[in-house]
Amino acid sequence: MAERMIVIGGDAAGMSAASQARRRRDRTDLEIIAFERGHFTSYSACGIPYWVSGLVEDRDELVARDPATFRDEFGIEVRTRHEVTAVDLDRREVIVRDLDGGGEVRAGFDTLVYATGASPVQPDWTRDDVAGVFGVQTLDDGAALIDWLEGKPSPRHAVVVGGGYVGVEMAEALVQRGLSVQLLEQADQPMSAVDPDMGELVAEAMRATGIGVRTGLTVTGLEERDGRISAVVTDEGPIPADVVVLGLGVRPNTALAEAAGLPIGPSGGVRTDRRMRVPGVPGVWAAGDCVESLHRVSGMPVHIPLGTHANKQGRVVGINIGGGYATFPGVIGTAVTKVCELEVGRTGLRERDALEAGFEFVTVLAQSTNRAGYYPGSRPMTVKLLAERPSGRLLGAQIVGWSEAAKRIDVLAVALWNGMTVDEMTALDLGYAPPYAPVWDPVLIAARKAVDALAAV
Ligand SMILES: Cc1cc2nc3c(=O)[nH]c(=O)nc-3n(C[C@H](O)[C@H](O)[C@H](O)COP(=O)(O)OP(=O)(O)OC[C@H]3O[C@@H](n4cnc5c(N)ncnc54)[C@H](O)[C@@H]3O)c2cc1C
C-alpha cells in the first residue's frame, strides 16, 4: 500500500514540498493530499501589489499551478476550501473541515508537512462593522480590495497603515491607481528592515512622488459614515480615508502546531532541524512562513517570512520525503523592494541586530551613482556597510538608490554568505561599463570606506 503524505497549506512551501516529493516517488509508492483553506494553490502573494496597481492585469497570472494541474500532471490531490482544524499525532490523523460543503473528516498520514504560512497582524482597532479596510495576504484579499477600488463611490483617499515593504509597495500601487495616499508609520521612518538613516532616504523619495509619509504617530481607531470607512483616527487627529490597507507585518500560523504539541521556537515559528524535520516528532516536517530559521550571521533563530525561503524550504522537505538528502542552511535576511522608481536592498544585520548579537563593528555610508556620472540617467546610490571590528568581516549591507540599486545587494549577499572581509571585497572583479556603473562600483567604494573606518579605530 502507498505511503500517505499530507500537506497543510497549498502555497509556496507546501506545494514545493509536494511537487519535489512527487518527482522522486510515483503515486503507487506515495499518495499526496494537500489541504488548502483558500480558493487557490501556488499563488504569488508577492505579486498582489502589482495586480492592484494594474501592472499585472489578470489574477490568474499570479497562480503558478491550479489544483487541476496538480491532479492531472503531478498526481497530487489538492482539496481547496478544506481547513485542517487539528492534528492528532497519537492517531496520526488530521481533522479537516469542508468550508463549502460542510462536515468534517479525518485523514490519516504517514508523513505530515506543516506549511500553514503566516497571517497579518490584526490591530485591536479594526472593526467588522466598517467596510473598506483590507489586508493583502491572499488573492482573495487582493480581489476584495480591487472590487472596492473599482466600486462606487470611487475611493479617492487611501491610507496605508504600516511602513514595511508590503505597506510601501501598496502605497506605490495605490498612487499608480491615481489615489492620494498617506502612509502611516509608528516609528520615525518607514522601512524598518533597514536602519533609520536609510529609511529616511526612502521616506524622502516617497514624499517626492506625492505619497504623504506620516511617521511617529499611532493609529487608535476608525471613523465610518454609513458603514464605510471615512477616516483613520490617530493620536495626532483623524486622517480622511475612503480605503485603508493594512501592512503591519505577519505572525507565523502556529495555532494548530501548538495545540498538537509541536515545538515552537523563541522567534515564534515552528522549530525544525536542518532537513526541515520537526525535532522529536517523527514523520512531521515544516516549512515556509510558519517556521523559524537560523540566521547565519547572528547565529540566532529568526522569523523572516519571505517567499524565497518558503520555496527553498519546501523543496528541501520534498527532496527528503522523496528519499533524497537536502538541508536548509539558514538565512542572511536578503530582501529587495521598490517604491515607484526608488529601489531598496538589504542583507545581513542592521545596526540594532549587530548590537543585540554582541558584535563590535564599524558602519560606513558611501554616496555614489548607479552609472558613470556623465552617462545619461546617472542617479544617486547610497550603500551602507557594517563590518566587524577588528576582523573586517562584512556583517550587513543596505542599498537605496535608483535603477540597478536593489539587485546590487546580491553581490553583497554573496560576500556576506561566504564570510568575506571588506578588505577582500575591495578587490572584487565586478563588471564595469559606463551604462552600468562608475569605474569604482558603489559596492567597491563602500568596501574601501569600511577598510578606512576600520583602520581609524
Ligand atoms: C503583498 C505581499 C508581497 C510579498 N512580496 C514578497 C517579495 O517580494 N519577496 C518575497 O520573498 N516574499 C514576499 N512576500 C512573502 C511571500 O508571499 C511569503 O513568504 C510566501 O507566500 C510564504 O509561503 P508559505 O507557503 O510559507 O505561506 P503562505 O503563502 O501563507 O501559504 C500558506 C497557505 O496555508 C493555508 N493554510 C493555513 N492554515 C491552514 C489550515 N489550517 N488548513 C488549510 N490551509 C491552511 C493558507 O490559506 C495559505 O494559502 C510577500 C507577501 C505579501 C503578502
Side-chain angles (χ1 to χ4, degrees):
M1 209 166 101
E3 201 179 298
R4 183 186 278 170
M5 166 179 173
I6 284 201
V7 179
I8 312 177
D11 195 23
M15 298 320 291
S16 296
S19 308
Q20 277 298 329
R22 172 57 76 233
R23 283 200 173 101
R24 292 166 170 263
R25 294 174 67 177
D26 69 24
R27 48 192 98 180
T28 59
D29 183 35
L30 183 71
E31 179 188 11
I32 306 177
I33 306 175
F35 293 108
E36 165 54 51
R37 67 181 171 199
H39 290 95
F40 304 97
T41 51
S42 290
Y43 52 92
S44 171
C46 315
I48 292 174
Y50 312 104
W51 175 35
V52 172
S53 75
L55 203 62
V56 174
E57 282 176 17
D58 189 354
R59 182 195 65 200
D60 291 346
E61 291 178 54
L62 301 183
V63 179
R65 287 192 191 116
D66 62 12
T69 308
F70 279 113
R71 186 189 58 231
D72 299 342
E73 293 179 22
F74 289 79
I76 295 170
E77 188 182 334
V78 186
R79 297 194 198 151
T80 52
R81 302 289 293 149
H82 280 70
E83 180 170 21
V84 175
T85 55
V87 177
D88 184 338
L89 287 175
D90 293 330
R91 298 174 68 170
R92 297 192 79 75
E93 287 177 346
V94 290
I95 300 166
V96 189
R97 186 182 301 142
D98 179 344
L99 296 175
D100 292 331
E104 215 164 61
V105 292
R106 283 179 167 263
F109 61 82
D110 300 292
T111 308
L112 179 70
V113 179
Y114 191 84
T116 52
S119 290
V121 171
Q122 286 293 330
D124 52 12
W125 44 259
T126 50
R127 288 167 48 180
D128 290 341
D129 60 333
V130 180
V133 181
F134 301 89
V136 282
Q137 188 69 14
T138 64
L139 295 189
D140 289 328
D141 294 339
L145 172 59
I146 290 170
D147 282 351
W148 183 266
L149 294 171
E150 291 176 353
K152 295 282 178 235
S154 285
R156 288 186 299 127
H157 301 287
V159 169
V160 177
V161 185
Y165 73 90
V166 169
V168 161
E169 289 173 7
M170 288 310 302
E172 170 186 354
L174 294 163
V175 159
Q176 287 179 345
R177 287 189 75 106
L179 280 88
S180 95
V181 180
Q182 299 283 328
L183 180 124
L184 313 186
E185 167 59 51
Q186 200 165 21
D188 290 338
Q189 294 82 22
M191 283 301 293
S192 63
V194 294
D195 284 323
D197 48 356
M198 301 296 272
E200 193 49 44
L201 299 177
V202 179
E204 279 167 23
M206 288 178 79
R207 289 187 181 112
T209 63
I211 297 171
V213 180
R214 310 252 322 243
T215 56
L217 85 181
T218 304
V219 175
T220 55
L222 302 173
E223 283 177 3
E224 48 91 26
R225 202 175 303 120
D226 302 327
R228 292 173 69 93
I229 181 77
S230 61
V232 173
V233 184
T234 75
D235 54 359
E236 295 181 7
I239 298 171
D242 313 311
V243 58
V244 173
V245 173
L246 303 177
L248 292 163
V250 295
R251 291 210 182 95
N253 287 330
T254 55
L256 281 183
E258 281 178 68
L262 303 188
I264 307 296
S267 76
V270 176
R271 276 181 47 218
T272 66
D273 66 11
R274 289 182 155 256
R275 295 185 72 189
M276 306 308 298
R277 292 177 290 214
V278 177
V281 196
V284 178
W285 307 72
D289 280 5
C290 60
V291 305
E292 67 176 21
S293 303
L294 170 77
H295 198 292
R296 289 170 61 94
V297 184
S298 69
M300 292 178 183
V302 287
H303 179 241
I304 300 185
L306 286 174
T308 173
H309 307 321
N311 279 286
K312 291 189 190 99
Q313 291 172 343
R315 181 170 178 274
V316 166
V317 169
I319 291 172
N320 287 321
I321 293 176
Y325 178 85
T327 60
F328 183 74
V331 301
I332 57 171
T334 309
V336 288
T337 190
K338 77 175 190 69
V339 52
C340 300
E341 285 178 65
L342 187 82
E343 301 182 7
V344 185
R346 55 99 61 222
T347 190
L349 306 181
R350 299 164 296 187
E351 288 192 51
R352 62 176 172 277
D353 306 319
L355 287 171
E356 198 185 315
F359 285 108
E360 296 216 358
F361 60 94
V362 296
T363 62
V364 290
L365 215 57
Q367 310 287 355
S368 181
T369 52
N370 57 345
R371 300 171 187 175
Y374 55 80
Y375 193 87
S378 175
R379 305 283 301 268
M381 188 182 298
T382 306
V383 179
K384 178 170 185 169
L385 299 185
L386 278 69
E388 186 183 23
R389 195 163 67 86
S391 72
R393 179 167 65 116
L394 183 66
L395 296 177
Q398 298 159 31
I399 304 186
V400 174
W402 277 265
S403 54
E404 294 104 39
K407 285 297 275 180
R408 250 191 186 89
I409 203 71
D410 287 345
V411 171
L412 292 156
V414 172
L416 193 145
W417 185 278
N418 288 298
M420 287 181 80
T421 65
V422 284
D423 191 35
E424 289 167 335
M425 286 168 58
T426 58
L428 278 175
D429 185 4
L430 304 182
Y432 160 64
Y436 299 108
V439 68
W440 282 92
D441 190 275
V443 165
L444 300 179
I445 293 173
R448 280 173 42 181
K449 238 182 143 173
V451 171
D452 292 347
L454 285 161
V457 285

